[in-house]
Amino acid sequence: MARGEEPLLSQGRPSSDHSDERSIEEEDALLTGQKTQQTRNYGWREIGLFAWAVIATALVILFAVLYTHQQQTSKPTPSGGGGWKNGRPTGKRNLIFMVSDGMGPTSLSLTRSFRQTQTGLPIDDVLVLDEHLIGTSRTRSTSSLITDSAAGATAFSCGQKSYNGAISVLPNRDPCGTVLEAAKRAGYMTGLVVTTRITDATPACFAAHVNHREEEDRIAEQEVGEHPLGRVLDLMLGGGRCHFLPNTTEGSCRKDDRSIVDLAKENGFSYVSERKGFDGLNFGTNVKLPLLGLFADTDIPYEVDRRDMDDVYPSLDEMAKTALAALQSATEDSNKGFFLMIEGSRIDHAGHGNDPVAQVHEVLAYDTAFASVLDFLEKDDVEGVLVGTSDHETGGLATARQLHETYPEYHWFPTVLANASHSAENLAYQLRDHIAGKHISPLDTGIKTPPRSQDDLKNYIRHTLIEDGLGIHDITDAELDRLAHASSDPWPASYIFADIISHRAQVGWTTHGHSAVDVNIYASDPKQARPLIGNHENTDVGRFLREYLDLEQEVEDVTEALKEKGAAG
């Protein structure tokens, strides 16, 4: 073989006096199957290198463990003086807990696509909530795989599971101390902001103890200070005025003649009950605490309807901003901050009604309030964290619908929802009032007259409610007949309106109740809410709330005090 044709691996190979001898031994070994008798002496250099590699590897592992531990148990000290020491929070801090009642993961998909379509946004434009997702929560109660809001909120307020219907009591009917009560006992200011009745299950679970959520009259009494521990709330904003008025008063839904508004005033509360009074609070800069603000007899209207009644009802965002500013001001000279629960209450109601129009506008309103809380925390000098989650999903919502027995098309149509201007609930109220004669006559005389015939009624339904209200122009005769005879239909009119638009948008629902789907967990800062990253039981959320405010012992003390006083019983 010529020099230039030598194998590459042979080029430059060093020679050895023993190479031939070694080759012969290796050849014999291959032929006989016997190993060659080669030995190698390891010197101190090789041993040293091996030891150094072991030590270096151990050090890398040690530093990684220490770094991970430090990241989990400590955080930079903020300008407000708060911080973490030995895995425990220290210093002044604020905690805002937001509940998106009934909002499941599909609610976000539905709303995101609706918003993108309605405003011409690109597909990668997302909600504020989407940017703060850190985990998910399992929602079962002790009595069912499908929880209700009472058991769900008890898991948040007490950090313990209970039965459906329980308002911060356990399955044995013993009361459990709540994070809000413990916060008040420790010197924090406290508040509740909702868009449903302030006596509804979620807010009630933070400041009351009854065996069943339907005891709203008693809940109202406890919320204003007729409570085993005295007054535990500094601020309440929402609806539910009817449970605070004596049954001798128009608009009352109480079973007795007690005035809980008067009781609240006796306990030091200032009281506002209409938009003018709310505006006078000047977004929290003109508030006298404790404050009770009740702006609707029952629930504040859905956002899609409220926006046309803005002179009557404040929005969730406006109430949240007012509460934040008021509590911030009230704790300015205190070494304690505040605990505030804010609920987007009527996402749940939209799910119960299977109303996709109400649903997307409620989620958008909640997203707006969430953004406002983030802005508050960013600007505030005091350390604070926002944690948000849902108590459950409602409606079994799907962004898909099977319209016929053949294989379905892969579509859903947000533009159908964008054409609607009212909720199904609002349209049902309009229909009810029209049938009852509570409308202006065609001659505009101001005289209330009932519809003159079924044809007149159907024309009203077609043009005013369906075309103007839902933006639908292909209503069928069968759908018109159902609405014209809604009083005798098994479904309420609101369900029929909701089904009409859901069908055309190809939005699916599996129930008018709740479902067992896991729900999302959000946080303003995942480092501060590190224990909630991943999938958790809903009670883990409740435990985080008390741990962040360093209230574990206070919760236990409150529980014992409640038992001694026979609360809930």
Side-chain angles (χ1 to χ4, degrees):
M1 180 183 292
R3 175 78 177 171
E5 296 175 350
E6 290 181 358
L8 291 175
L9 292 178
S10 71
Q11 295 179 17
R13 183 176 178 179
S15 62
S16 170
D17 293 340
H18 303 288
S19 60
D20 292 340
E21 181 180 334
R22 205 163 43 237
S23 298
I24 293 171
E25 289 178 356
E26 291 171 353
E27 185 176 333
D28 289 343
L30 288 171
L31 292 172
T32 64
Q34 300 296 318
K35 295 182 178 179
T36 60
Q37 300 299 315
Q38 295 183 23
T39 60
R40 182 176 181 181
N41 294 322
Y42 290 94
W44 287 108
R45 182 173 179 273
E46 287 84 354
I47 294 172
L49 288 173
F50 176 76
W52 169 246
V54 172
I55 294 170
T57 302
L59 288 172
V60 169
I61 294 173
L62 177 62
F63 285 131
V65 170
L66 291 174
Y67 176 78
T68 301
H69 177 72
Q70 188 271 342
Q71 288 293 304
Q72 291 178 339
T73 59
S74 65
K75 57 196 288 292
T77 300
S79 59
W84 294 75
K85 183 178 181 180
N86 298 324
R88 309 295 303 169
T90 63
K92 182 177 180 179
R93 70 199 81 97
N94 301 321
L95 173 56
I96 300 99
F97 179 50
M98 294 189 70
V99 180
S100 45
D101 197 320
M103 186 180 80
T106 310
S107 300
L108 278 298
S109 300
L110 185 86
T111 305
R112 190 185 309 114
S113 295
F114 168 80
R115 179 172 171 268
Q116 291 169 353
T117 301
Q118 185 187 41
T119 56
L121 296 170
I123 61 173
D124 60 351
D125 186 273
V126 296
L127 302 172
V128 176
L129 287 163
D130 292 321
E131 299 172 337
H132 293 273
L133 176 66
I134 65 167
T136 55
S137 168
R138 307 185 294 273
T139 63
R140 67 181 297 170
S141 70
T142 62
S143 60
S144 177
L145 288 172
I146 300 178
T147 190
D148 80 329
S149 293
T154 296
F156 300 148
S157 65
C158 293
Q160 299 191 63
K161 296 277 189 179
S162 195
Y163 59 91
N164 287 358
I167 300 296
S168 291
V169 295
L170 302 179
N172 65 359
R173 303 310 194 262
D174 279 349
C176 52
T178 75
V179 61
L180 184 146
E181 293 165 336
K184 185 62 179 175
R185 188 183 184 97
Y188 289 85
M189 301 293 279
T190 62
L192 301 173
V193 173
V194 301
T195 52
T196 185
R197 304 174 309 285
I198 200 73
T199 53
D200 202 11
T202 301
C205 282
F206 287 87
H209 302 270
V210 296
N211 289 333
H212 202 277
R213 60 183 295 173
E214 293 178 352
E215 300 176 63
E216 292 190 51
D217 287 358
R218 189 175 173 196
I219 291 167
E221 296 159 9
Q222 293 188 35
E223 287 179 334
V224 301
E226 200 169 87
H227 185 285
L229 304 177
R231 180 176 63 80
V232 297
L233 278 164
D234 296 297
L235 179 146
M236 287 179 279
L237 299 175
R241 190 167 51 227
C242 71
H243 287 286
F244 292 78
L245 302 177
N247 61 7
T248 54
T249 304
E250 183 179 358
S252 172
C253 58
R254 285 190 66 84
K255 297 177 181 178
D256 59 35
D257 61 357
R258 295 192 69 189
S259 171
I260 308 307
V261 170
D262 288 345
L263 176 62
K265 292 177 179 178
E266 291 170 9
N267 288 334
F269 279 89
S270 54
Y271 175 62
V272 290
S273 61
E274 73 292 317
R275 180 72 204 217
K276 182 179 179 181
F278 177 81
D279 290 342
L281 301 175
N282 197 27
F283 280 99
T285 63
N286 187 35
V287 171
K288 178 181 178 296
L289 297 179
L291 170 66
L292 173 64
L294 302 173
F295 308 109
D297 286 341
T298 55
D299 305 320
I300 292 175
Y302 286 125
E303 180 62 21
V304 66
D305 305 314
R306 188 211 64 83
R307 61 188 183 179
D308 294 328
M309 298 178 276
D310 188 59
D311 59 333
V312 180
Y313 305 101
S315 68
L316 176 65
D317 186 50
E318 290 174 311
M319 290 190 291
K321 288 178 177 177
T322 298
L324 289 167
L327 294 173
Q328 179 189 47
S329 177
T331 57
E332 185 175 6
D333 298 322
S334 171
N335 63 354
K336 299 287 187 180
F338 62 80
F339 172 80
L340 175 64
M341 192 284 290
I342 302 171
E343 183 188 34
S345 318
R346 302 213 65 197
I347 302 171
D348 174 62
H349 292 185
H352 281 297
N354 289 182
D355 185 348
V357 175
Q359 175 93 173
V360 294
H361 287 280
E362 288 302 299
V363 173
L364 286 173
Y366 180 80
D367 193 61
T368 298
F370 192 95
S372 291
V373 176
L374 292 175
D375 183 63
F376 171 85
L377 290 171
E378 180 69 23
K379 295 176 179 177
D380 193 23
D381 291 333
V382 178
E383 177 191 2
V385 67
L386 159 62
V387 170
T389 190
S390 304
D391 45 2
H392 54 75
E393 190 273 348
T394 305
L397 173 63
T399 48
R401 185 165 179 139
Q402 183 83 25
L403 298 181
H404 39 68
E405 293 182 358
T406 58
Y407 194 78
E409 297 177 348
Y410 291 169
H411 289 299
W412 91 268
F413 302 105
T415 51
V416 175
L417 308 186
N419 291 333
S421 59
H422 290 291
S423 69
E425 177 185 85
N426 180 275
L427 297 174
Y429 287 153
Q430 291 188 50
L431 177 59
R432 178 200 62 189
D433 290 347
H434 184 86
I435 292 173
K438 298 178 181 179
H439 67 285
I440 303 300
S441 71
L443 298 177
D444 197 25
T445 61
I447 301 172
K448 295 176 181 178
T449 60
R452 288 168 293 184
S453 67
Q454 277 290 301
D455 287 341
D456 289 340
L457 177 59
K458 288 182 179 180
N459 282 333
Y460 172 77
I461 294 171
R462 178 190 297 275
H463 298 297
T464 301
L465 303 183
I466 299 298
E467 294 180 357
D468 295 344
L470 290 183
I472 290 173
H473 297 272
D474 62 348
I475 186 75
T476 67
D477 290 339
E479 290 168 330
L480 274 176
D481 285 339
R482 284 195 74 184
L483 287 168
H485 298 89
S487 60
S488 59
D489 195 280
W491 276 17
S494 61
Y495 285 12
I496 301 172
F497 282 116
D499 187 59
I500 288 171
I501 195 164
S502 291
H503 183 92
R504 286 159 176 79
Q506 290 188 213
V507 172
W509 306 88
T510 62
T511 179
H512 282 286
H514 300 169
S515 75
V517 69
D518 290 359
V519 295
N520 292 344
I521 301 174
Y522 303 92
S524 54
D525 182 351
K527 290 183 179 180
Q528 294 190 72
R530 186 180 296 275
L532 296 179
I533 294 174
N535 183 259
H536 298 273
E537 283 293 336
N538 53 8
T539 48
D540 293 339
V541 176
R543 282 191 283 271
F544 172 82
L545 299 180
R546 66 173 70 173
E547 289 170 3
Y548 181 78
L549 294 180
D550 199 13
L551 294 173
E552 293 100 315
Q553 187 57 53
E554 282 79 1
V555 169
E556 297 303 318
D557 293 343
V558 165
T559 299
E560 290 305 311
L562 290 168
K563 289 179 180 178
E564 290 175 5
K565 296 177 182 294

